[in-house]
Amino acid sequence: MKRIFYSVALLAATLVGFVSCDEEEETDFRDQAIGEYNVTLKQYYAIEKSSTDEYTLYTMEAVMKASGATECPDLSKQFTATLSKDGDGLKLTATSVFSDEWTFVKVTEASNGFVFDIKEYEAIVDDAGTRAKFTNYPGALLGGVKYNGIYSNGELSFNLKDNGEMEKTIWKPLTDDADAFAAFQEKIKGGELEKILTDGDIVLQFTCTKK
């Protein structure tokens, strides 16, 4: 009887051990996004609508053309990057064109992926080595909370807002010429372009497609 009881007890202990092991094997929702990406970076002027969570985007090319620029090249950039885990967050590391990194924080699971914010990002924005800082710009909404970026169905996207240094650099050739700048201000006065340049923020939009 003692031997049978011992065998049953041993079997029960073994089963409990297996159950415990199974319970410890938790899946990480971030795993679905880890890997290589093709990234497109575009520049916009953005105006957020005060009554809603939406915003209007104006391409930088369109703004430059409206300002009277004779040449308006495509300002978008394409590069590759790798997404990896970084503690409780994630890190996107450029592997071509740039040598930059973007750190994702507050990574929160959603029904079809996850949302996140971006840690403050700093980049050189001209040949003189001017450094500009970029912070979160709303791009996703979950449970009434705004987030900077979202991952869903193999696509990762996020927005970053210029703190003002990049904008100064872009318009410096014009603002350095007092007469030309005064004429420009008079030309756009009361129009849509004046509103864009006064109320808008420069936003970098990243669209990342998993390879």
Side-chain angles (χ1 to χ4, degrees):
M1 182 67 178
K2 288 182 179 180
R3 181 174 299 173
I4 295 174
F5 177 78
Y6 175 78
S7 299
V8 171
L10 182 61
L11 176 62
T14 304
L15 291 174
V16 169
F18 279 124
V19 170
S20 297
C21 289
D22 289 340
E23 290 178 347
E24 289 174 0
E25 293 179 2
E26 296 181 0
T27 58
D28 188 336
F29 65 86
R30 297 175 299 170
D31 288 341
Q32 62 188 304
I34 301 304
E36 302 289 325
Y37 286 81
N38 291 317
V39 184
T40 298
L41 166 60
K42 292 186 177 182
Q43 301 177 36
Y44 294 91
Y45 262 94
I47 298 179
E48 192 169 0
K49 298 177 182 179
S50 58
S51 58
T52 66
D53 292 314
E54 300 176 350
Y55 49 89
T56 303
L57 295 176
Y58 302 86
T59 66
M60 184 64 74
E61 291 87 346
V63 171
M64 297 298 288
K65 185 176 180 179
S67 71
T70 55
E71 294 184 9
C72 188
D74 182 2
L75 299 174
S76 63
K77 299 289 184 182
Q78 285 77 41
F79 59 98
T80 57
T82 300
L83 186 70
S84 58
K85 294 180 182 179
D86 183 42
D88 293 332
L90 293 162
K91 182 175 290 184
L92 184 69
T93 304
T95 53
S96 70
V97 182
F98 303 107
S99 59
D100 298 40
E101 291 183 340
W102 298 270
T103 302
F104 302 174
V105 296
K106 299 180 182 177
V107 183
T108 305
E109 188 174 12
S111 58
N112 59 344
F114 56 81
V115 293
F116 55 90
D117 281 345
I118 300 287
K119 191 175 180 180
E120 185 177 77
Y121 163 68
E122 188 174 284
I124 296 175
V125 292
D126 63 11
D127 293 336
T130 303
R131 303 190 73 85
K133 291 182 179 180
F134 298 84
T135 53
N136 288 320
Y137 195 80
L141 194 67
L142 178 65
V145 180
K146 289 182 181 180
Y147 290 88
N148 175 238
I150 188 168
Y151 173 84
S152 178
N153 299 320
E155 185 170 285
L156 185 76
S157 61
F158 59 95
N159 301 325
L160 288 172
K161 182 178 71 173
D162 168 41
N163 71 342
E165 288 302 319
M166 182 177 177
E167 184 173 30
K168 289 178 185 177
T169 300
I170 290 173
W171 297 104
K172 191 175 187 302
L174 179 61
T175 56
D176 282 350
D177 187 331
D179 292 337
F181 186 51
F184 174 71
Q185 288 180 306
E186 186 62 31
K187 175 185 175 182
I188 67 174
K189 188 176 181 179
E192 184 179 29
L193 185 56
E194 181 184 39
K195 180 174 177 58
I196 292 171
L197 297 179
T198 302
D199 300 338
D201 296 300
I202 291 181
V203 169
L204 306 181
Q205 186 179 81
F206 296 76
T207 303
C208 317
T209 304
K210 197 171 185 182
K211 288 186 178 183

